[in-house]
Amino acid sequence: MSERNEILPPAGFAERWASTNWNVIPPIPQQPLMNMALDEVLTERVGRGELGPTIRFWAWSAPCVVLGRFQSVRNEVNEENAAANGIQIVRRISGGGAMFIEPEGAITWSIYAPDSVVSGMSFPESYAALDSWVIRALRGLGVDAWYAPLNDITSANGKIGGAAQARRLGAVLHHTTMAYEMNVPLMLDTLRIGQEKMSDKGTRSADKRVGPLRQQTEMSRDAIISHLWQDLANLAQTTSATLRDEDIAEAERRVVERFGLRSWTHLLP
Amino acid sequence: MHHGEFKTPGGKLVAVDFDVRNGEFAGVLVHGDFFLYPDDAFEDLAAALEGAPVGEPDDVVAERIRTRLRTGAELLGTSPEGIATAVARALAAGPVNDGGRS
């Protein structure tokens, strides 16, 4: 990467972030469909004011491809190969690109915040702002990371991760996935990565663009998540929280009624 | 079926799939890794093209999309012009075999 295309959060955001009291939910493995549904349930609860600003660290109990809200299955996934490799296809409520997820290979979290946390910001500024604590935490681990518009966490050694947002009922959902370790052959066997997608990247293959954190830190996945949490707690007020039984029940209901149905996963065939 | 893609430099990819029937767009899908708020506005993108005459200049196609997109909707990473470019590429490429889906 020859030059840095960096976007910074707006002035004063650090104070806004620090004065917010964040509930933090630790990673508990969930089925991919439950992770999709929980994001919607918790965003709505924050939007209705029933729950304060919350950050949920994810854990995955199965490999999957997570499609963006507006992506077509056949354009992004080799469904035959995915099925043969036991990789489920799910669709999230936010836009953005497909993610290939293996449970030990990804570090994912969601931020559920009232719109007031990003008020006055453009969408690009809000992306940079809501991941600014992560950039700081990564630098604390010696990773030369920065935020590249629109929604990428990147580094001198390649892209680390990406974020996506959805807005619901006065709340913003901002979720981010970072690559910890990548099974590149399995990813390339599963995802369709066309030439047009790479047209402005200046690299010839998908695997050259990424700099997974294991390679860059030699730390365990759990140790990186602990560091993120600790760094977050150093910057803002945090309270350890858990999912309520009724949130889990509501998410399970939405999996049955929507997220698990072909009419949602194959909304765009 | 016709298929075309356009990635906005530094932005996101948009793709279009459609058939041409009696000189009009039919069975239009607009998709990609762009962002759009609110997400309900997504249906406006395909609706802008469905039934429209094929062969209009790119700026007319872009204007159709811009006009149809509901007030207040915000596209991020692509644009009506980007979608029009994907449409033009799809037409230039000619029909592709879609395995009998259409």
Side-chain angles (χ1 to χ4, degrees):
Chain A
M1 227 163 276
S2 54
E3 61 184 64
R4 290 192 173 192
N5 179 16
E6 182 172 11
I7 180 166
L8 298 169
F13 180 74
E15 292 72 30
R16 198 188 289 193
W17 181 266
S19 64
T20 305
N21 189 359
W22 294 97
N23 298 309
V24 184
I25 300 173
I28 296 160
Q30 304 282 354
Q31 284 295 324
L33 288 169
M34 277 297 283
N35 272 326
M36 302 302 112
L38 280 167
D39 263 3
E40 188 177 68
V41 169
L42 294 174
T43 304
E44 289 178 7
R45 279 198 66 207
V46 170
R48 287 194 300 263
E50 298 164 11
L51 178 68
T54 297
I55 296 176
R56 175 173 73 100
F57 286 101
W58 296 30
W60 303 84
S61 60
C64 62
V65 171
V66 182
L67 291 173
R69 169 73 175 74
F70 309 122
Q71 289 189 300
S72 134
V73 177
R74 64 180 177 231
N75 214 51
E76 304 301 328
V77 189
N78 184 322
E79 280 196 88
E80 231 169 80
N81 291 357
N85 292 319
I87 296 166
Q88 194 181 358
I89 298 168
V90 301
R91 185 182 297 272
R92 63 179 185 262
I93 63 171
S94 62
M99 303 187 303
F100 173 72
I101 299 285
E102 290 186 288
E104 294 306 314
I107 296 174
T108 305
W109 64 89
S110 295
I111 298 174
Y112 315 97
D115 282 347
S116 57
V117 171
V118 293
S119 64
M121 289 183 208
S122 66
F123 283 109
E125 283 175 330
S126 72
Y127 275 90
L130 292 177
D131 276 335
S132 53
W133 64 284
V134 184
I135 299 296
R136 190 191 115 119
L138 290 174
R139 288 176 181 168
L141 295 177
V143 177
D144 184 11
W146 68 92
Y147 212 71
L150 173 69
N151 58 331
D152 288 346
I153 295 174
T154 195
S155 76
N157 294 313
K159 177 173 164 172
I160 294 171
Q165 288 182 8
R167 309 276 174 129
R168 284 278 193 290
L169 301 168
V172 53
L173 161 67
H174 176 105
H175 44 199
T176 307
T177 289
M178 299 195 299
Y180 174 68
E181 190 171 24
M182 291 189 69
N183 183 339
V184 173
L186 187 58
M187 180 186 77
L188 295 177
D189 196 48
T190 307
L191 295 183
R192 297 188 198 277
I193 299 173
Q195 300 226 320
E196 181 63 12
K197 205 168 289 177
M198 308 298 295
S199 61
D200 64 344
K201 297 293 184 192
T203 51
R204 290 217 311 268
S205 66
D207 54 326
K208 284 185 189 150
R209 304 165 52 207
V210 295
L213 286 173
R214 182 176 183 171
Q215 228 164 267
Q216 298 209 47
T217 63
E218 294 176 2
M219 289 169 69
S220 73
R221 185 177 166 278
D222 287 349
I224 293 173
I225 293 173
S226 297
H227 171 79
L228 291 176
W229 191 330
Q230 188 55 52
D231 206 63
L232 174 68
N234 291 340
L235 284 177
Q237 297 166 267
T238 56
T239 306
S240 192
T242 53
L243 289 171
R244 300 183 317 169
D245 289 345
E246 51 264 52
D247 296 330
I248 292 170
E250 177 62 19
E252 283 170 346
R253 191 180 68 77
R254 293 187 193 199
V255 165
V256 171
E257 292 182 358
R258 186 150 56 92
F259 288 95
L261 300 181
R262 201 172 162 85
S263 57
W264 175 255
T265 59
H266 288 64
L267 184 68
L268 292 147
Chain B
M1 187 188 83
H2 292 260
H3 175 85
E5 301 185 350
F6 176 69
K7 185 178 191 298
T8 301
K12 299 291 162 190
L13 183 109
V14 68
V16 292
D17 297 354
F18 55 81
D19 292 312
V20 175
R21 287 189 208 128
N22 305 319
E24 296 175 349
F25 293 105
V28 180
L29 282 185
V30 180
H31 54 93
D33 63 352
F34 53 85
F35 296 91
L36 175 62
Y37 305 99
D39 52 5
D40 293 346
F42 180 64
E43 63 194 40
D44 300 347
L45 299 177
L49 296 172
E50 192 74 33
V54 168
E56 294 178 323
D58 288 4
D59 59 337
V60 175
V61 175
E63 193 52 34
R64 276 188 186 280
I65 296 162
R66 194 185 312 284
T67 307
R68 182 63 181 244
L69 204 53
R70 65 196 64 184
T71 307
E74 191 164 346
L75 260 178
L76 274 187
T78 189
S79 61
E81 287 71 22
I83 299 169
T85 300
V87 169
R89 287 182 175 183
L91 289 168
V96 292
N97 186 350
D98 67 349
R101 253 184 304 252
S102 60

